[in-house]
Amino acid sequence: MEAEEKKRSSNFIRDIIKKDLEDGKIEKVVTRFPPEPNGYLHIGHAKSININFGLASEFEGKCHLRFDDTNPSKEEQEYVDSIMEDIKWLGFSWGENLFFASNYFEQLYEWAIYLIKQGKAYVCDLTADEVREYRGTLTKPGKESPYRKRSVEENLELFEKMKNGEFPDGARTLRAKIDMSHPNLNMRDPIMYRILRATHHRTGDKWCIYPTYDYAHGQSDAIEGITHSICTLEFEDHRPLYDWFIDNLPLIHKPHQYEFARLNLNYTVLSKRKLLTLVTKGIVSGWDDPRMPTLAGYRRRGYTPQAIRKFCEQVGVAKANSVVDIAFLEDCLRDDLNKRAQRRMAVLKPVKVVIENYPDEKSEELEVSNNPEDESYGKRMVKFSKNIYIDRDDFAIDPPPKFFRLASGREVRLRNAYYFTCTDYKVDDKGEVIEIIGKIDPETRGGWSKDGRSPKVTIQWVNCEDALDAEIRLYDRLFLKENPEQVEEGKDFLDYLNPESLVVLKNCKIEPSLIHSKPGELYQFERVGYFILDKDSNKENLIFNRSVTLKDNWAKIKKKV
RNA sequence: UGGGGAGUAGCCAAGCGGUAAGGCAGCGGCCUUUGGAGCCGCCAUUCGAAGGUUCGAAUCCCUCCUCCCCAGCCA
């Protein structure tokens, strides 16, 4: 058992927590996932969720969900709702620990007054442009604001007036008094409060001043008793500021910030701004379009929480920027679905097969396994008769080398049914095969032969008489370029869209048992891939989404030949 | 040219002075009523580069190179 546990490799954050626990620095680990409710969660967030909630449960601590809602101009309730839904879907729970940074506005305001009284914060009248000028540059130190030396009394009075709405938006700010020549720009008197009249999704119009991220985040962590505040690399140089506020405020808990590299996926775009563009421009059908890397999109596509969590776990946690191959995500899905998906037969590009030596009126019920990987999934009955459909791709007039499927004179196994030999075929005026003719070996019922011969390939089929029609949506990567963020001169990321990211197949033929399928149920259409009923589906118009293909060896061979 | 980070295989990633885990991809084979799944094997004499310390260095010390982040009243 111990050996099994050791399989998973560690990461630096886990090591830190383990050590803090061992050293008695903390009694219990408390992490938090702090989304800003200004968009839907995507696979990158899943990594963060998995780290924060995963580590908390691993060490029997807890993980808070805290909405970082300090900027009412971009935040909406719709996003709050979707974020909670997605976290639950992933299988994590914040229990009682649901928080909002906006819950702390009052406390934050009092602490701002405290800092003013300590002479560590001041009201600044510089405009946004002036603030930028005074900040200096990467190589040049900044200049002190002319308002930096205001008296405590004046600062107190002005700050109260800011709060009371006596100044227009953007007219003044409250700034921390740190060091205008600090090599770290974040320490050059950062803004703590700005005047902003916007209706907040929780506090309404109560406030017209709002704390910035830098002033709110660490203090929220402190209030909640967060021990390990885990964020992404770009906040690394905010850490000194994070610590400055923590050290200069009368706090009991002193949280610490740790940073890891955010997730990147090739052929995928993960910035909220770009995802929003895809949605608003109608390039995808919405945040939950199955091509979107959002959790809502993956859910609709047929990804399972287990697959996503395994992916997050295996991808690791480190500080080096990296781009993970999308094939890795797909593999995690296949791995999960292979064990759990019910098998069904479906024919995506149907062509009719007539079995000459099968009686016209006869039909029979064949027993087939729902999942050969796990017999507990049971069996079902499938009807077989003289006329069936098989897939066009399983037949070739002129078979290429290494093609083991059906061709004139060849024998294949019809899955769970009989060995079948093609004797003839019909084509239309365009040369398209419209009918395949052949005979079965009646001695091979169930797909076995007493004489020990075994066809090289087994193909799936669907009985004509009771087959169901279905629409099948084939999804592929949204972008053709490995890194759609890296754009050439005069182009933007939308120039790299994959025109075939969605291919809709109509009149596919599927097993009748699929009429009972429900959203969320996992199916493998044998030899094709994994599919899930789409939310647009109804009994009259069945629609399935392809979650991921099966590994396709033939496709590989075809490429080589 | 200021500050903060990072460089281990095609892609992730362990490794923490004792002689390069694991996964994905790829390649070869076995097996198979899914060309699926499964199984077996191969895939870094070398860790961004050059020096140095040491019996011994991916790990310690130097110098250099490359990449990423920061000049929002965004987070």
Side-chain angles (χ1 to χ4, degrees):
Chain A
M1 253 179 238
E2 280 174 22
E4 275 172 38
E5 257 176 65
K6 284 181 70 178
K7 277 270 164 24
R8 181 177 52 195
S9 53
S10 195
N11 68 59
F12 73 101
I13 298 176
R14 178 182 284 122
D15 292 344
I16 289 167
I17 292 174
K18 200 182 284 177
K19 188 164 188 305
D20 288 348
L21 251 12
E22 281 165 4
D23 293 352
K25 231 171 121 182
I26 56 167
E27 280 175 22
K28 197 163 134 180
V29 61
V30 185
T31 58
R32 105 267 87 117
F33 175 62
E36 182 188 13
N38 68 344
Y40 277 62
L41 256 27
H42 56 63
I43 186 85
H45 294 110
K47 176 176 177 181
S48 174
I49 290 168
N50 193 66
I51 293 169
N52 281 293
F53 282 93
L55 252 16
S57 85
E58 183 180 337
F59 292 103
E60 296 175 322
K62 53 182 185 165
C63 178
H64 296 182
L65 170 59
R66 180 173 73 236
F67 286 95
D68 226 330
D69 55 352
T70 57
N71 185 352
S73 62
K74 338 170 127 183
E75 295 152 6
E76 290 173 30
Q77 186 61 38
E78 177 199 351
Y79 297 129
V80 171
D81 297 338
S82 76
I83 288 167
M84 294 200 283
E85 183 186 355
D86 289 344
I87 297 171
K88 280 191 261 180
W89 175 71
L90 269 186
F92 293 108
S93 170
W94 54 88
E96 302 294 298
N97 303 299
L98 171 62
F99 302 100
F100 293 82
S102 53
N103 290 164
Y104 313 134
F105 283 174
E106 202 66 52
Q107 174 67 265
L108 258 8
Y109 179 74
E110 281 166 29
W111 278 336
I113 289 171
Y114 174 89
L115 285 174
I116 292 172
K117 286 181 178 167
Q118 300 283 308
K120 289 173 180 167
Y122 63 98
V123 172
C124 181
D125 301 1
L126 255 24
T127 64
D129 285 343
E130 289 166 337
V131 166
R132 193 184 324 116
E133 273 177 48
Y134 276 73
R135 186 155 33 225
T137 68
L138 297 179
T139 48
K140 275 190 304 219
K143 287 181 298 188
E144 293 190 351
S145 163
Y147 307 99
R148 200 176 200 258
K149 294 193 169 75
R150 281 217 252 240
S151 68
V152 169
E153 292 66 34
E154 191 183 1
N155 279 320
L156 250 18
E157 192 186 320
L158 254 14
F159 186 48
E160 181 162 4
K161 286 184 174 172
M162 278 173 66
K163 187 190 88 161
N164 292 339
E166 296 185 30
F167 307 119
D169 284 10
R172 290 178 219 253
T173 56
L174 183 73
R175 298 229 252 163
K177 194 188 285 184
I178 306 181
D179 179 359
M180 287 308 290
S181 58
H182 198 107
N184 181 340
L185 303 204
N186 292 123
M187 301 298 270
R188 321 242 261 228
D189 289 9
I191 309 281
M192 294 166 60
Y193 273 93
R194 70 278 214 187
I195 304 172
L196 179 61
R197 283 172 182 80
T199 302
H200 189 279
H201 71 112
R202 305 233 351 141
T203 59
D205 296 318
K206 180 175 179 199
W207 297 86
C208 66
I209 57 171
Y210 289 94
T212 56
Y213 165 86
D214 284 314
Y215 180 60
H217 201 94
Q219 282 64 267
S220 302
D221 287 339
I223 291 168
E224 294 177 20
I226 302 299
T227 56
H228 299 257
S229 182
I230 302 164
C231 63
T232 45
L233 252 29
E234 67 270 27
F235 292 102
E236 219 152 8
D237 41 15
H238 289 241
R239 191 178 348 124
L241 179 54
Y242 183 102
D243 292 338
W244 189 90
F245 283 124
I246 296 293
D247 290 341
N248 284 285
L249 255 8
L251 304 173
I252 301 162
H253 285 103
K254 305 230 170 190
H256 292 277
Q257 176 183 299
Y258 302 92
E259 311 84 13
F260 70 95
R262 58 159 13 108
L263 175 72
N264 296 292
L265 271 183
N266 60 12
Y267 301 103
T268 308
V269 104
L270 245 31
S271 89
K272 278 191 193 172
R273 204 207 95 231
K274 292 195 172 79
L275 294 178
L276 219 205
T277 302
L278 292 169
V279 172
T280 53
K281 289 206 167 182
I283 290 159
V284 295
S285 64
W287 285 102
D288 70 343
D289 185 295
R291 293 166 294 179
M292 289 286 273
T294 51
L295 296 182
Y298 284 120
R299 178 164 60 234
R300 186 169 171 192
R301 172 87 167 250
Y303 272 71
T304 59
Q306 290 87 342
I308 290 177
R309 275 194 271 139
K310 183 192 173 199
F311 172 74
C312 292
E313 195 57 51
Q314 303 228 332
V315 123
V317 181
K319 297 195 71 153
N321 292 314
S322 62
V323 182
V324 176
D325 193 337
I326 190 108
F328 189 42
L329 211 210
E330 293 173 346
D331 182 76
C332 291
L333 212 220
R334 286 192 196 100
D335 184 60
D336 185 40
L337 261 23
N338 175 48
K339 288 172 235 144
R340 302 165 53 211
Q342 295 251 349
R343 310 294 132 123
R344 291 292 184 272
M345 291 198 283
V347 172
L348 270 47
K349 290 184 265 177
V351 58
K352 193 176 168 187
V353 174
V354 177
I355 302 162
E356 289 178 304
N357 64 339
Y358 201 88
D360 287 358
E361 302 308 320
K362 184 180 170 182
S363 76
E364 57 193 306
E365 296 279 332
L366 300 165
E367 189 183 64
V368 311
S369 171
N370 286 328
N371 186 347
E373 299 287 313
D374 184 346
E375 289 307 325
S376 74
Y377 280 65
K379 297 185 185 307
R380 68 186 187 283
M381 304 308 285
V382 173
K383 193 187 252 188
F384 183 83
S385 65
K386 187 181 182 76
N387 299 311
I388 62 172
Y389 294 109
I390 67 166
D391 199 288
R392 267 177 201 292
D393 293 344
D394 286 335
F395 178 83
I397 295 174
D398 188 17
K402 302 263 178 76
F403 182 89
F404 302 145
R405 278 113 101 143
L406 204 57
S408 215
R410 290 215 193 156
E411 181 178 68
V412 298
R413 173 164 32 228
L414 296 174
R415 172 120 243 224
N416 301 119
Y418 293 93
Y419 291 5
F420 173 83
T421 304
C422 169
T423 54
D424 198 7
Y425 60 89
K426 292 181 185 163
V427 294
D428 62 15
D429 9 314
K430 280 171 286 182
E432 280 279 313
V433 177
I434 49 168
E435 188 175 305
I436 293 164
I437 300 149
K439 55 184 194 303
I440 54 157
D441 176 352
E443 297 301 305
T444 57
R445 190 175 195 273
W448 298 99
S449 161
K450 285 183 209 100
D451 63 14
R453 77 180 197 277
S454 180
K456 283 201 108 150
V457 151
T458 299
I459 66 175
Q460 83 281 15
W461 52 274
V462 174
N463 191 45
C464 287
E465 190 196 333
D466 55 348
L468 256 27
D469 281 310
E471 171 180 325
I472 292 184
R473 297 176 178 171
L474 306 177
Y475 295 102
D476 200 354
R477 50 192 61 158
L478 236 194
F479 294 93
L480 292 169
K481 199 167 185 284
E482 256 207 75
N483 180 2
E485 310 259 8
Q486 191 186 70
V487 296
E488 294 143 54
E489 275 281 324
K491 297 200 169 188
D492 78 0
F493 77 108
L494 296 176
D495 290 315
Y496 307 113
L497 284 164
N498 176 6
E500 296 184 350
S501 60
L502 169 59
V503 173
V504 178
L505 261 28
K506 306 262 189 183
N507 305 313
C508 302
K509 302 293 182 183
I510 63 177
E511 264 187 52
S513 66
L514 254 2
I515 191 80
H516 303 299
S517 76
K518 292 189 276 292
E521 285 179 349
L522 314 168
Y523 291 101
Q524 182 196 101
F525 290 174
E526 287 188 287
R527 299 209 311 136
V528 183
Y530 295 96
F531 293 81
I532 191 166
L533 195 74
D534 189 74
K535 70 172 189 188
D536 291 345
S537 184
N538 59 56
K539 296 282 184 229
E540 283 67 49
N541 186 25
L542 289 169
I543 302 172
F544 286 87
N545 294 325
R546 182 176 70 195
S547 313
V548 68
T549 61
L550 248 29
K551 276 190 198 157
D552 188 351
N553 249 307
W554 167 238
K556 233 188 251 178
I557 294 164
K558 231 177 358 184
K559 259 188 219 167
K560 277 191 238 169
V561 173

